Amino acid sequence: MTTAVEQFLRSVNGEFSIGQQLHDVPPHVVYEVTFEGQRAVCKVSTEPRGNAGVEGRVQRHVERETAVPVPEILAVGADGYVAGYNEDAPRETDYEDRELTGAWLRAAGRTLARLHGEATFDRPGLLAVDGDPADPTAGLYVDSPPDATWSDALDSLLAVYGNKVRGTGFEAIVAEARSFVDEHAAEFDAHGEAALLHGWFTPEHAEVRDGETRCVIDFEHALVGSPAWDYWRTAVPLFLGNGWDQPEGAAATFRSAYESVRPLPTDLDTCQEAYVGLISVSYLDSLHTQTGVDEETEERAEWIASTASEQFDAARNAFAE
């Protein structure tokens, strides 16, 4: 994978040397590098689904337009970016050591709210490079029509998932998700915001120390739309799953911290099952992207698809009440 990193670094025309590999999970590879004499991290897409060229521009936008702390972007190109090494960046932890603290919940809740309030666009949608992806000065644009709604953005995201899982036998659950969003477009569109969404705001990607958020990384799942998506993308793994040890009232602490900065949608709880279903489908996309759906992972994929379908049924009942 050093070949891909070397090719990218040559494309951005800077003096560099390549150090140790930090991460190698499809669709990206990440290496520590020295770039223009500075210690840095280089992230490169290993397949089109990675879209690291967009991710680098998202992080640069956050750096320039908000007070949310992110590593400085030193270079960005068509399929990757270089960011300055940040000592405060989150460190990977073993599964057994996953523990939420009140300090993280409070600081992270406030930071996510600030991101949503300070980075906004004129419409929801997926993000793309505004111009030539090889041009380091090219910025971002929202790849959707001017009158796009949040349900339109969700359908576009689900279409990406559908293309990814094509041929796995799990296309039906993505089709069900798209039909569900179409059926309940009014409920989704009632949120009506066009905030920059991080897409996976958990302790692996947001470091808190001394009661303050020090560094946020990994904007690879970023899109523009309702903050409800980011809230539930955080809540599903942290508060609804069983992978994190947590203090009593963890979800309420996080939510209260968020709402001390800006409000969440008033119907957030009514929409829980709907978002859990959609997020379950996103996990199917991640599973196939990172490991593939085969004999070893098919049982897990079946469980994810079943969970999504059950959540859509529950959401229909919740919306009908």
Side-chain angles (χ1 to χ4, degrees):
M1 288 300 179
T2 55
T3 301
V5 174
E6 181 177 353
Q7 288 177 344
F8 170 75
L9 290 169
R10 291 189 184 284
S11 76
V12 295
N13 299 320
E15 294 287 335
F16 69 87
S17 62
I18 301 174
Q20 64 176 327
Q21 180 176 291
L22 301 176
H23 199 59
D24 181 15
V25 177
H28 302 107
V29 62
V30 183
Y31 274 77
E32 184 174 336
V33 301
T34 300
F35 185 79
E36 295 290 275
Q38 182 172 339
R39 189 181 183 189
V41 173
C42 181
K43 185 172 186 177
V44 176
S45 299
T46 55
E47 59 174 87
R49 183 72 176 92
N51 224 355
V54 173
E55 180 185 351
R57 288 170 169 87
V58 172
Q59 188 164 311
R60 185 174 64 187
H61 182 85
V62 173
E63 175 193 346
R64 291 174 175 177
E65 302 297 330
T66 81
V68 175
V70 297
E72 178 188 6
I73 296 296
L74 305 179
V76 64
D79 55 2
Y81 66 89
V82 181
Y85 190 90
N86 190 313
E87 293 287 353
D88 289 328
R91 305 291 194 268
E92 289 190 13
T93 58
D94 294 333
Y95 188 84
E96 296 80 7
D97 297 330
R98 290 184 168 186
E99 181 178 1
L100 295 175
T101 65
W104 187 91
L105 295 163
R106 288 186 290 271
R110 294 192 299 267
T111 300
L112 186 60
R114 292 188 186 111
L115 175 66
H116 294 161
E118 295 174 13
T120 60
F121 292 79
D122 61 353
R123 62 191 183 274
L126 306 187
L127 289 161
V129 178
D130 187 12
D132 179 3
D135 179 359
T137 67
L140 292 169
Y141 82 101
V142 181
D143 189 12
S144 62
D147 60 349
T149 64
W150 176 225
S151 62
D152 294 331
L154 286 171
D155 185 69
S156 296
L157 182 63
L158 289 166
V160 173
Y161 297 160
N163 288 334
K164 184 61 184 180
V165 303
R166 185 174 296 151
T168 66
F170 290 93
E171 299 90 335
I173 188 58
V174 182
E176 181 180 349
R178 296 183 72 178
S179 295
F180 174 80
V181 169
D182 181 63
E183 178 185 350
H184 294 285
E187 284 86 353
F188 289 109
D189 294 343
H191 298 161
E193 292 191 65
L196 177 63
L197 310 177
H198 179 274
W200 205 295
F201 203 79
T202 58
E204 302 102 320
H205 305 140
E207 179 70 13
V208 169
R209 295 181 190 171
D210 300 324
E212 296 294 335
T213 301
R214 299 294 185 182
C215 186
V216 178
I217 61 171
D218 284 354
F219 287 82
E220 64 189 80
H221 298 281
L223 71 158
V224 177
S226 171
W229 176 258
D230 254 0
Y231 175 84
W232 288 113
R233 285 280 286 185
T234 297
V236 168
L238 297 191
F239 313 135
L240 302 184
N242 58 7
W244 290 83
D245 292 332
Q246 55 192 276
E248 185 176 353
T253 299
F254 180 83
R255 183 166 175 172
S256 177
Y258 184 104
E259 293 183 320
S260 71
V261 176
R262 70 190 309 274
L264 282 160
T266 55
D267 62 347
L268 189 70
D269 295 322
T270 304
C271 295
Q272 174 176 332
E273 292 87 355
Y275 281 103
V276 173
L278 296 175
I279 290 164
S280 296
V281 175
S282 79
Y283 289 164
L284 187 63
D285 165 71
S286 296
L287 176 67
H288 186 49
T289 298
Q290 295 179 0
T291 64
V293 176
D294 52 26
E295 290 184 359
E296 293 185 3
T297 59
E298 186 170 8
E299 183 176 349
R300 184 179 176 192
E302 290 279 7
W303 180 83
I304 292 172
S306 176
T307 297
S309 188
E310 290 170 0
Q311 291 296 315
F312 293 142
D313 286 341
R316 292 186 182 94
N317 293 331
F319 285 148
E321 292 179 354

